Amino acid sequence: MKKSLLILTGHSKGLGRAILDTYLSKDNFEVIAISRTKLGLSNPNLSEISIDFGDLDVLENELSNLFPSDEFEEIILINNAGWIGEIKPVGSLQVKNLRNSVNINLLAPMYLTNAFVYAYKDYPAKKIICNISSGAASKPMESWGEYCSTKAAIAMFTMVAAKENSNSQFRFFSVAPGIVDTQMQEEIRQADELDFPQIERFKSYKENGDLSSPELVASKITYLLAHENEFQDVIQDVRNFDLP
Ligand SMILES: NC(=O)c1ccc[n+]([C@@H]2O[C@H](COP(=O)([O-])OP(=O)(O)OC[C@H]3O[C@@H](n4cnc5c(N)ncnc54)[C@H](OP(=O)(O)O)[C@@H]3O)[C@@H](O)[C@H]2O)c1
């Protein structure tokens, strides 16, 4: 049986780690996983690559090596790596952090989406690009200027690519994962309350058990990508459907 291929970013923890475990448990998927941190798992179906998306020169140099041309049943790219950015109001943001946010949340997934479409445009298989966005893409939040704007931009980029490829074997999704119990939420709860007026709301999500588990969200994303014909819109939010 032919294998399938998943290229996944941000696999080292949080939602990405749960997505990685879900696909590795399937046995028929080879996974190329990219984060700064390698997990060092010994699994013959996993290749880990360490790249810091803060430095786009490194990613650019690696792009031509990331997309194997072996015969696969289906090929999936999940751009999941992300950073909440510097949680401070506009006027107090450091230029280095602005640049890092745009590099990690926007330019890295744009580079990878563009290179994926180029590499596989004539490849005869089901091909899916799933860019992890956020509900914050369409809701302005004080002190999340970097995060909201980069997530909005990657959602729009995904919609443009989908429109360009509407009569092809490519499917594109921009997926909001809901509020997930990961290190990103920890970082949000540790923000300076003078900078982040909504901090108590985010602390209460954790205290009241309102955060989704990364495992549940990973199962929903995996379901969506395996049943893509049930999901017509590019913009998806995992909170809008239940697992069967
Ligand atoms: N958690 C939520 O409530 C929530 C809500 C909406 C959307 N999201 C989105 O869901 C995705 C996953 O978030 P998460 O909550 O799982 O976050 P997380 O626990 O902080 O994990 C982030 C992942 O991204 C990788 N990453 C971060 N900076 C990187 C860099 N400079 N270069 C390469 N990889 C980098 C990290 O790996 P290394 O540190 O090893 O590099 C890690 O694997 C993100 O796109 C996030 O924006 C999350």
Side-chain angles (χ1 to χ4, degrees), residues 131-143:
N131 290 326
I132 302 297
S133 180
S134 168
S138 53
K139 282 190 225 94
M141 175 83 77
E142 301 95 327
S143 292

Side-chain angles (χ1 to χ4, degrees), residues 59 74 95 139 154 184 220:
L59 177 62
E74 95 182 93
V95 167
K139 282 190 225 94
I154 195 62
M184 183 176 282
K220 286 186 154 193

Side-chain angles (χ1 to χ4, degrees), residues 1-18:
M1 201 181 80
K2 264 198 283 184
K3 284 203 162 184
S4 293
L5 173 68
L6 169 68
I7 301 164
L8 169 68
T9 70
H11 74 295
S12 63
K13 55 182 177 253
L15 177 58
R17 176 65 203 263

Side-chain angles (χ1 to χ4, degrees), residues 83-88 90 93-102 105 141 143-152:
W83 181 42
I84 190 65
E86 188 176 15
I87 304 181
K88 284 196 180 295
V90 175
L93 297 167
Q94 292 178 40
V95 167
K96 186 171 178 291
N97 289 325
L98 279 165
R99 189 173 53 228
N100 259 338
S101 292
V102 176
N105 292 346
M141 175 83 77
S143 292
W144 286 17
E146 295 171 2
Y147 190 70
C148 293
S149 55
T150 51
K151 290 296 184 179

Side-chain angles (χ1 to χ4, degrees), residues 10 12-13 15 36-37 52-53 80 147 151 178 180 182 185:
S12 63
K13 55 182 177 253
L15 177 58
R36 286 170 299 186
T37 315
D52 182 349
F53 291 156
N80 163 77
Y147 190 70
K151 290 296 184 179
V180 197
T182 65
Q185 285 293 326

Side-chain angles (χ1 to χ4, degrees), residues 8-243:
L8 169 68
T9 70
H11 74 295
S12 63
K13 55 182 177 253
L15 177 58
R17 176 65 203 263
I19 294 172
L20 175 74
D21 290 344
T22 308
Y23 278 95
L24 286 180
S25 71
K26 289 173 181 286
D27 279 347
N28 63 326
F29 265 87
E30 282 183 19
V31 184
I32 298 173
I34 311 166
S35 296
R36 286 170 299 186
T37 315
K38 286 189 185 181
L39 294 170
L41 304 179
S42 68
N43 184 314
N45 287 334
L46 174 65
S47 312
E48 292 188 274
I49 302 172
S50 172
I51 302 180
D52 182 349
F53 291 156
D55 180 354
L56 291 169
D57 290 345
V58 176
L59 177 62
E60 189 180 345
N61 287 334
E62 285 298 320
L63 278 178
S64 56
N65 305 321
L66 289 179
F67 304 102
S69 55
D70 316 49
E71 276 194 30
F72 293 107
E73 187 76 31
E74 95 182 93
I75 308 182
I76 299 174
L77 168 65
I78 304 181
N79 280 307
N80 163 77
W83 181 42
I84 190 65
E86 188 176 15
I87 304 181
K88 284 196 180 295
V90 175
S92 306
L93 297 167
Q94 292 178 40
V95 167
K96 186 171 178 291
N97 289 325
L98 279 165
R99 189 173 53 228
N100 259 338
S101 292
V102 176
N103 285 355
I104 297 164
N105 292 346
L106 179 59
L107 284 172
M110 284 173 82
Y111 278 30
L112 286 162
T113 301
N114 181 57
F116 183 95
V117 172
Y118 177 78
Y120 294 127
K121 58 185 179 307
D122 298 321
Y123 192 93
K126 184 167 113 182
K127 298 163 286 198
I128 305 183
I129 290 134
C130 173
N131 290 326
I132 302 297
S133 180
S134 168
S138 53
K139 282 190 225 94
M141 175 83 77
E142 301 95 327
S143 292
W144 286 17
E146 295 171 2
Y147 190 70
C148 293
S149 55
T150 51
K151 290 296 184 179
I154 195 62
M156 178 54 78
F157 184 74
T158 313
M159 286 192 284
V160 170
K163 199 162 193 178
E164 292 165 349
N165 289 281
S166 55
N167 294 315
S168 75
Q169 284 179 302
F170 285 109
R171 283 298 311 273
F172 292 83
F173 294 105
S174 170
V175 177
I179 306 176
V180 197
D181 197 359
T182 65
Q183 197 169 303
M184 183 176 282
Q185 285 293 326
E186 263 176 63
E187 213 174 319
I188 292 167
R189 292 192 296 274
Q190 281 162 12
D192 185 330
E193 49 195 60
L194 292 176
D195 290 327
F196 187 41
Q198 303 289 335
I199 192 162
E200 288 307 324
R201 179 148 70 90
F202 281 83
K203 285 183 176 168
S204 75
Y205 290 147
K206 177 70 174 171
E207 285 156 12
N208 300 338
D210 290 339
L211 300 173
S212 302
S213 75
E215 292 74 23
L216 173 67
V217 177
S219 301
K220 286 186 154 193
I221 291 171
T222 313
Y223 179 88
L224 189 159
L225 301 181
H227 301 84
E228 80 285 357
N229 291 333
E230 295 174 21
F231 299 89
Q232 293 312 311
D233 295 337
V234 175
I235 303 293
Q236 294 288 340
D237 187 321
V238 301
R239 288 168 290 192
N240 293 341
F241 68 92
D242 292 318
L243 291 172

